[in-house]
Amino acid sequence: MRNTRQREEVLAALRSERSHLTATQVYDKVREKISNISLGTVYRNLGNLVQSGEIFTVETSDKCLFYDGFTFPHSHFVCNGCGAIFDVSNANSVEYPPELNGFSVEEERTVYYGLCKNCVKRIDERKNKKQ
Amino acid sequence: MRNTRQREEVLAALRSERSHLTATQVYDKVREKISNISLGTVYRNLGNLVQSGEIFTVETSDKCLFYDGFTFPHSHFVCNGCGAIFDVSNANSVEYPPELNGFSVEEERTVYYGLCKNCVKRIDERKNKKQ
DNA sequence: ATTGATAATAGTAATTATTACTAATAAGGA
DNA sequence: TCCTTATTAGTAATAATTACTATTATCAAT
């Protein structure tokens, strides 16, 4: 696998800040550095980086895939109110379920869904107004 | 919400056996009963059933969404070898991560990734042949 | 540094999953 | 049975992703 500037910038886009971006968002961010980079190139490099374990994917709503440049073990919380994705510390189980005996478990991903602190507050305030 | 045959058959398709189907697979199965049902109708009813909590979704690979007609608490194992989805008993954590204090957690989903028993065996056998 | 094989790219077209739209149909209360 | 209107079939539109191809750039060997 060759070392290209495009590949570098795709990875840099995901690691420059603690964020979870869609392919299109990565594309927009990388275009600030390489104005004529192709969306296909972004997709291919994202795929390669996932395969090589340098980035993760987060599947959130039923919509599209998010990419996460930070691969230390952690879980995610997806807010059903505002759509934001939060990192949370890993609460992975110590023991695997018994059905997985004989299976080779390579990864465990947990996603929590609900309302973040802000959305809880926002909805509470609305309720109080109505009363 | 009206009770239509289309809605019934969509649900029946998911509950007739312990399976995880894509929208298209549900469509194919329901067409055996209602030959001219529209794919749009399948999507709409799947969406409604998810909203009313009668079915679940499973987000597995980066591909498309799977639907699960059995909503008792359980987790999933996705085989990276053959793509099969297995049900496993729920190993959800008793305590939520501390970052979720003040959040309203409505759901917790865990997906394990790896190789199922069959694929482990298949790959082992291939290794032994080579040696 | 120069060359050469070829992996990666930009640009575009194609594919696939999903949603939107609309006239016709059917569910279910009156 | 009638009437309101949610639901449907059929089709078109959208959005995310992948495929294709001529050109470019990487990197190992010279």
Side-chain angles (χ1 to χ4, degrees):
Chain A
M1 191 191 295
R2 288 178 182 174
N3 216 10
T4 67
R5 196 178 157 220
Q6 285 82 350
R7 183 186 169 79
E8 256 175 50
E9 291 294 349
V10 165
L11 187 56
L14 285 169
R15 293 207 173 150
S16 66
E17 52 176 325
R18 198 71 206 77
S19 55
H20 307 86
L21 305 178
T22 63
T24 311
Q25 288 170 334
V26 171
Y27 175 55
D28 288 339
K29 205 164 174 186
V30 175
R31 267 203 296 184
E32 294 169 10
K33 300 291 182 62
I34 307 173
S35 61
N36 70 329
I37 192 172
S38 172
L39 181 57
T41 300
V42 171
Y43 269 105
R44 186 168 14 74
N45 278 305
L46 286 172
N48 289 343
L49 290 166
V50 168
Q51 275 221 317
S52 67
E54 289 171 87
I55 64 173
F56 279 168
T57 57
V58 196
E59 290 128 16
T60 59
S61 65
D62 336 71
K63 295 286 170 185
C64 58
L65 211 56
F66 288 78
Y67 294 89
D68 185 342
F70 291 74
T71 53
F72 60 87
H74 65 279
S75 298
H76 291 107
F77 176 91
V78 178
C79 180
N80 292 327
C82 61
I85 303 174
F86 296 82
D87 289 322
V88 300
S89 60
N90 214 336
N92 285 356
S93 46
V94 185
E95 271 182 48
Y96 293 135
E99 294 95 334
L100 297 182
N101 282 340
F103 285 40
S104 159
V105 181
E106 294 162 3
E107 201 183 341
E108 176 179 356
R109 287 193 217 165
T110 299
V111 182
Y112 300 89
Y113 297 85
L115 295 173
C116 73
K117 210 176 250 181
N118 283 339
C119 287
V120 167
K121 195 189 295 178
R122 189 166 47 79
I123 287 169
D124 275 352
E125 280 168 5
R126 197 177 295 170
K127 268 187 194 167
N128 291 337
K129 271 187 189 171
K130 280 187 182 171
Q131 284 169 353
Chain B
M1 191 192 293
R2 287 180 184 172
N3 216 8
T4 68
R5 194 176 159 222
Q6 285 83 350
R7 183 187 170 78
E8 256 176 49
E9 290 295 350
V10 165
L11 187 56
L14 285 168
R15 293 209 173 149
S16 66
E17 52 176 326
R18 197 71 206 80
S19 56
H20 307 84
L21 306 177
T22 64
T24 312
Q25 289 170 334
V26 172
Y27 175 55
D28 288 338
K29 207 164 174 187
V30 175
R31 268 204 294 184
E32 294 170 10
K33 302 289 181 65
I34 307 174
S35 62
N36 70 330
I37 192 172
S38 171
L39 181 56
T41 300
V42 171
Y43 269 105
R44 186 168 16 76
N45 278 305
L46 286 172
N48 289 343
L49 290 165
V50 168
Q51 275 220 317
S52 67
E54 290 172 85
I55 63 173
F56 278 168
T57 57
V58 195
E59 289 128 18
T60 60
S61 65
D62 337 70
K63 296 288 172 185
C64 55
L65 212 55
F66 288 79
Y67 293 88
D68 185 341
F70 291 75
T71 52
F72 60 87
H74 65 278
S75 298
H76 291 106
F77 176 92
V78 178
C79 179
N80 292 326
C82 60
I85 304 174
F86 297 82
D87 288 323
V88 300
S89 59
N90 215 335
N92 285 356
S93 46
V94 185
E95 272 181 49
Y96 292 136
E99 294 95 334
L100 296 182
N101 282 339
F103 285 40
S104 159
V105 181
E106 295 163 0
E107 202 184 340
E108 175 179 356
R109 288 193 215 165
T110 299
V111 182
Y112 301 89
Y113 296 85
L115 294 173
C116 72
K117 211 176 245 178
N118 283 340
C119 286
V120 167
K121 195 190 292 178
R122 188 166 49 77
I123 287 169
D124 276 352
E125 280 166 4
R126 196 177 294 169
K127 267 188 193 164
N128 290 338
K129 270 188 186 168
K130 279 189 180 169
Q131 282 170 355

